[in-house]
Each structure stands twice: as C-alpha cells, then as structure tokens.
Amino acid sequence: MSAPLLSARGVGKRFGGRVACHDVSFDLWRGEVLGIVGESGSGKTTLLNCLAGRLLPDSGSVTYETKSAGSVDVHRLSEARRRLLARTEWGFVNQDAREGLRMGVSAGANIGERLMAVGARHYGEIRGQAADWMTRVEIDVERLDDRPNTYSGGMRQRLQIARNLVSNPRLVFMDEPTGGLDVSVQARLLDLLRGLVEGLHLSVVLVTHDLGVARLLTHRLMVMQGGTVVEQGLTDQVLDDPQHPYTQMLVASILPV
Amino acid sequence: MPDTTIQDTSPQDGAYNYGYLDEQTKRMIRRAILKAVAVPGYQVPFGGREMPLPYGWGTGGIQVTAAIIGREDTLKVIDQGADDTTNAVSIRRFFARVAQVATTTHTAEATIIQTRHRVPETPLTDGQILVFQVPIPEPLRMLEPRETETRTLHALSEYGVMQVSLYESIARHGRIAKTYNYPVMVNGRYIMSPSPIPKFDNPKLDRSPALQLYGAGREKRIYAVPPHTPVKSLDFDDHPFEIETWTESCALCGSTESFLDEMIVDDTGKRLFVCSDTDYCESRR
Ligand SMILES: [Zn+2]
C-alpha cells in the first residue's frame, strides 16, 4: 500500500479581500517533481508557502506522509512538530539565498546546522559531512570555512541546497531557485539540481515563472492564473500541447528563445 | 565611566520603604523569582523599577537582593571577585543603610552574595543565595536578534543555532574560544547565559547547594538555578568543555586552584598573577 507523499485538497488563501489562491488540489508521489508555473501575482508562491506550512490556508488541507508517524495534517501539527518536520524531512530553497542561509557564519556551519539541530555533537563528523556536501554541490572544499557573503550568487544557491539536503529530506520546496542568476550560472545549477533530484529520489514542489526551468526539472506541471489552477498534466504534454488559452499565451511568449 | 555613588536613601527620612523598594514591587519581584525557581533557566519578565543608579551598575541584581533581603541576612557584594571596588562598596553601603543588614567580605559568613563577573572560590553551602548582575540575559541574542524568535526557540528547545556558534568558534580558532559568559544547559531543558563570569566558574554552578538568582535590570528579566540543579556547559564530544588553567600560582597566597588576574607591577612590565577573589586570597595568607 502506498499513499501520496503530499496531498493538497481545496487549498485556498485570501489576503484581505483578495484571493491569492483558490481550491487547489493535487497529489505528489515519491520521486516526483511538480512544477507550479505562472506569472508573478498568480498565487504560486502563496500556494507554496501554504504547502510548506509557512502560511495557514483559509480553506482546505495539506496532508503529508511522514517517514515513521503515518500521515499528518500539516496545519494541525503542533508548531514544534511542524518545525521539526521542516528541518528534517523537508527542505526549503529560497530564491534569495540570503534568506535561506546564515550569512554571518561559515559554509560548514551553515551545512552542519541541521545535523546539530537534531543532536549531532561531534565536530569532526559534522565538518566531514559538510565537506562531503560541499563536493556534492560542486563547491571547492577549500571554501568550507568562508562565509557565504564571500561567495558568488551561484555558489550561495548551491550552498543553500547543501544546507537543506544534509538531513536527507524526502520533500523539498523550491521557490524560483534559479531566479536572479546569470544564464550560464543558471544552466549549471539546473544540471546540478537535476542530478541531485534523480540521484536522491527527491520529491520536489518547484515554483517558477520560467518554463525552460520547468521543462528541464519537472515531471508534472500546474499552471496558475489569478490564484486558480487553469491546467495541469505531464510537463511535456502541457508545454507541447497547451489546452488553456493562458497556458498557450505563456508558451507562445517563450517561443522566440 | 563616571564615578557613581548611590544617592543617600536613608529610611529615616521617611521617603523609602525597608529595603528601598515598596512592598508591592517586592511582591512582584518575588513572584517572578518563584516562577524562575520553578522553571530553572527560564527567563521570567518582571516590571522593574527605576533604581537610584544607572543601568550597567547592577540594577537587576540590586532589585533581586532588595526583594529577598531581611534584617537577619548578612550581605557580601563582589565585583570581579573584589569586595573593595567602588561599585561593590556602594551596593554594600546601600543595603546596610536601607535594609539595616550586617555586611561581610567573607564568603562563608554571607547569606546573600551579590556578584558581578565571578563566583566565589570558597564553595557555597546550603542556604546561601548568590545574586548575579546580568547585562544581557538572552544567550541567543547575538545569533538571533528577534525577541519573538528567541522565545520560540526556547519554548521548543530548538538550540541548533547555539551549537552553530560553537562550531563556528572552532572553525575559526581551532577551539571554542569563548571564555566569558559561556552558555550552559540548565536541567537538560533551557540554555542560559551565566552572566559574564569566566568559564572557569561554570563548574561551580553545577549542582551547587546555593540558590542562584540572576537579575537583568535593563531587559527586566529574572532567572534562577535552584540548589542541586544540573548545569552543563555546552561543547562537542571531540572538543569538550575545559576551564582556564595557569602555569603560575598566586603571588600573594600561592594558590594554584583559583582564577588568577594578571597585573603589571612596575615600569619594566614585570607581571604578577594574583587571585581575583580577594577574600579567598586573604584567608589563605
Ligand atoms: Zn591568592
């Protein structure tokens, strides 16, 4: 018997009178990468924050299948359990790496934090794992003791990914992980992400406005407009044969590339 | 720093209650103390009063002492281990006047010891109360500036960030370089700032038979370690907590076990090491 890893049912959120997202439902399976695409203001980031337990939806529910404690309603967990989940079984990659990193401490401390948060108390082992993860995200181990404010944008983003993956999460939320980076830096990061996601059999919910990123990384797509999902399906199908006029417009607008 | 002496607050002039604070304020501080004792290491907010001296001169400690002191008490006040600094003398005189208590410089004779920056070398005993003056009560403050977030971290025992700071110290210096205000875990539950005492004094906090009360005047927080409570200095398995050691012994009493201050004694830069705890040192000579 197998249950979806993450299930959303009728998730909705308003800010004041404005609908940010409305009646969103989907299932995410192990090893699956789901893309949420749409323009800015489409509600995709609000939805992501609701899914990750960072925002309380006004309606609907989000269910997550934990490693050992069965399925849980993300928003009915105690704050303590939700935060524990967020730093063990989940990851969250921010568009702005500065929001996801501690800029005042070394790369090693950034990567080691999750290990220490769950009780690791051997400096040498923590450092060893941090060094290992530096290599896996293609950062020179020589930079282990440097602070992220001496890193380039692309390196910071890779460090943020390592900081999340060190705890072996099963589910990673990503908010425009390649946004704001140069095209060549983006390409390298996308390659790295694709390798990690496949190699670690990660499940990912990825928010992006960039259909190229969606094409490269995701298996399935949800297209959002004005807070509602207007189309969803396998990524190739949605991008090659868009049915909804809004999706057609999005796809047409990147054709020249 | 300005030379600060406490204003004349003689109770004979009728302006002040016994122990300087009014009874209502004392009761409020006592309630905070009881709560602090019941939840070791937890910072209890209290509605502090303005005291007749500026913050940084021990207003938090003075309010705690004022709330617990009685005529039968014998008070000792130390500043960096010494009984004779301006600050220690002022506080001692203040309580002699407003609470009519006996004062002493001998650790063993005191029932209440108010301190800044040291724990006496002479082991404390049942029934003694050690009152610490605390400048910054929040041990996570330097790592997490948001008060709401530090409160959540304490509530949920989420202390990874504290360990991160120790990791960083080793990465930078090859060892945990923190020598003062070294963070401790109280009763396996709350991380606490022991106030700016040298880490040399941390082991004295562990399972001490004395009651430890910590008062922060500016931030209006009181916390406590009841007698015989476990207090563990944070560390790593492969970088265990260690206290300072000296190759020298005290030039005055010959002690090899006490916390030593370094002094330059002449123009040629000749250095001497002497006990920071003056009462301990004198008792050995
Ligand atoms: Zn001595």
Side-chain angles (χ1 to χ4, degrees):
Chain A
M1 193 190 84
S2 139
L5 190 64
L6 189 75
S7 289
R9 290 292 176 270
V11 173
K13 179 74 184 173
R14 297 168 160 274
F15 292 113
R18 198 179 64 80
V19 175
C21 63
H22 173 66
D23 196 23
V24 177
S25 300
F26 68 88
D27 290 325
L28 178 77
W29 300 85
R30 294 298 309 275
E32 189 176 35
V33 181
L34 173 70
I36 304 174
V37 298
E39 294 166 300
S40 84
S42 64
K44 56 191 194 304
T45 294
T46 299
L47 175 61
L48 188 75
N49 285 324
C50 285
L51 298 173
R54 295 181 163 203
L55 266 182
L56 181 66
D58 303 322
S59 55
S61 66
V62 179
T63 313
Y64 169 73
E65 187 71 18
T66 62
K67 257 180 201 165
S68 52
S71 93
V72 293
D73 182 327
V74 168
H75 298 284
R76 286 176 184 230
L77 285 176
S78 66
E79 191 185 6
R81 281 201 61 198
R82 187 162 55 241
R83 286 172 69 123
L84 180 66
L85 204 59
R87 65 173 189 267
T88 53
E89 296 190 29
W90 292 358
F92 197 108
V93 177
N94 293 280
Q95 172 173 3
D96 185 348
R98 284 172 300 188
E99 285 173 25
L101 293 171
R102 289 193 189 279
M103 298 302 283
V105 298
S106 65
N110 267 284
I111 300 175
E113 179 166 353
R114 279 181 172 226
L115 302 173
M116 291 183 260
V118 294
R121 289 294 180 269
H122 192 285
Y123 174 81
E125 284 169 14
I126 294 163
R127 190 176 171 77
Q129 286 204 52
D132 180 42
W133 270 101
M134 293 280 281
T135 312
R136 291 171 80 169
V137 298
E138 299 166 10
I139 303 175
D140 186 349
V141 178
E142 292 289 305
R143 306 292 307 269
L144 187 61
D145 292 335
D146 294 346
R147 294 179 188 185
N149 52 23
T150 66
Y151 279 23
S152 68
M155 283 168 70
R156 280 182 197 173
Q157 202 53 292
R158 280 178 274 138
L159 178 62
Q160 190 191 184
I161 290 162
R163 171 177 160 88
N164 275 278
L165 296 188
V166 69
S167 67
N168 291 314
R170 316 156 87 201
L171 172 60
V172 182
F173 300 96
M174 298 186 186
D175 188 8
E176 305 272 11
T178 60
L181 299 173
D182 293 342
V183 175
S184 62
V185 176
Q186 269 197 31
R188 183 175 170 198
L189 185 62
L190 282 171
D191 274 351
L192 176 79
L193 272 177
R194 195 155 66 160
L196 287 169
V197 166
E198 279 172 16
L200 299 168
H201 201 58
L202 288 177
S203 304
V204 178
V205 180
L206 171 93
V207 157
T208 180
H209 70 281
D210 186 331
L211 296 188
V213 170
R215 166 91 80 184
L216 217 57
L217 283 180
T218 70
H219 303 126
R220 218 146 47 84
L221 270 192
M222 294 200 315
V223 183
M224 289 188 74
Q225 182 193 21
T228 28
V229 176
V230 295
E231 181 163 357
Q232 59 177 314
L234 296 175
T235 298
D236 288 344
Q237 270 173 21
V238 171
L239 295 184
D240 294 341
D241 186 19
Q243 300 299 304
H244 192 276
Y246 178 70
T247 317
Q248 290 166 354
M249 188 273 291
L250 284 183
V251 171
S253 68
I254 61 152
L255 273 184
V257 176
Chain B
M1 281 225 230
D3 178 51
T4 301
T5 47
I6 294 168
Q7 299 155 20
D8 190 318
T9 50
S10 163
Q12 285 84 345
D13 63 15
Y16 298 100
N17 188 35
Y18 176 79
Y20 183 77
L21 296 174
D22 61 84
E23 291 304 310
Q24 193 189 350
T25 302
K26 284 191 212 168
R27 275 196 297 275
M28 175 194 65
I29 294 173
R30 287 174 196 148
R31 275 197 297 272
I33 291 172
L34 286 173
K35 191 169 175 185
V37 168
V39 192
Y42 173 74
Q43 299 165 48
V44 181
F46 74 105
R49 279 286 182 274
E50 293 310 315
M51 297 299 288
L53 76 173
Y55 293 124
W57 289 87
T59 56
I62 289 172
Q63 288 178 86
V64 168
T65 299
I68 61 171
I69 204 162
R71 285 194 172 81
E72 289 72 43
D73 277 310
T74 303
L75 178 70
K76 171 181 165 78
V77 181
I78 47 173
D79 182 9
Q80 309 269 12
D83 297 84
D84 57 0
T85 69
T86 308
N87 197 31
V89 170
S90 299
I91 295 171
R92 202 162 57 233
R93 280 197 192 137
F94 172 73
F95 281 112
R97 190 174 302 149
V98 302
Q100 297 97 54
V101 291
T103 60
T104 183
T105 57
H106 300 311
T107 297
E109 287 173 6
T111 56
I112 299 173
I113 302 166
Q114 183 171 327
T115 178
R116 174 172 172 265
H117 294 188
R118 279 307 312 276
V119 175
E121 305 290 2
T122 308
L124 300 178
T125 56
D126 281 342
Q128 287 186 305
I129 301 176
L130 192 55
V131 177
F132 292 82
Q133 302 169 196
V134 180
I136 299 167
E138 178 51 72
L140 306 171
R141 179 63 66 238
M142 298 305 286
L143 312 162
E144 177 51 71
R146 290 167 298 173
E147 173 71 21
T148 50
E149 182 64 10
T150 54
R151 242 181 281 150
T152 303
L153 297 179
H154 284 296
L156 303 181
S157 250
E158 263 185 37
Y159 290 135
V161 62
M162 190 83 239
Q163 210 68 28
V164 164
S165 78
L166 301 182
Y167 173 101
E168 192 65 4
S169 188
I170 302 173
R172 245 155 244 300
H173 309 286
R175 67 199 156 78
I176 300 174
K178 204 164 174 57
T179 53
Y180 284 84
N181 215 344
Y182 191 106
V184 294
M185 171 64 83
V186 177
N187 207 25
R189 176 58 185 85
Y190 286 101
I191 285 184
M192 184 188 92
S193 158
S195 86
I197 57 173
K199 65 177 181 174
F200 180 89
D201 287 340
N202 275 21
K204 298 175 188 163
L205 309 180
D206 183 32
R207 295 176 170 83
S208 169
L211 168 63
Q212 303 163 41
L213 300 177
Y214 296 79
R218 187 173 42 228
E219 298 200 27
K220 298 182 173 39
R221 294 281 189 283
I222 288 172
Y223 51 99
V225 178
H228 309 291
T229 304
V231 175
K232 187 187 179 306
S233 302
L234 303 181
D235 61 4
F236 285 95
D237 298 344
D238 49 343
H239 286 267
F241 173 77
E242 284 170 350
I243 59 171
E244 300 91 331
T245 54
W246 288 263
T247 48
E248 298 80 0
S249 55
C250 173
L252 300 175
C253 77
S255 175
T256 53
E257 289 163 357
S258 72
F259 187 87
L260 300 179
D261 285 335
E262 187 178 346
M263 301 173 74
I264 310 281
V265 288
D266 63 20
D267 293 345
T268 66
K270 182 171 156 40
R271 297 177 313 159
L272 271 185
F273 289 85
V274 297
C275 295
S276 120
D277 184 335
T278 51
D279 168 59
Y280 169 85
C281 193
E282 279 162 19
S283 73
R284 291 171 43 88
R285 303 209 290 262

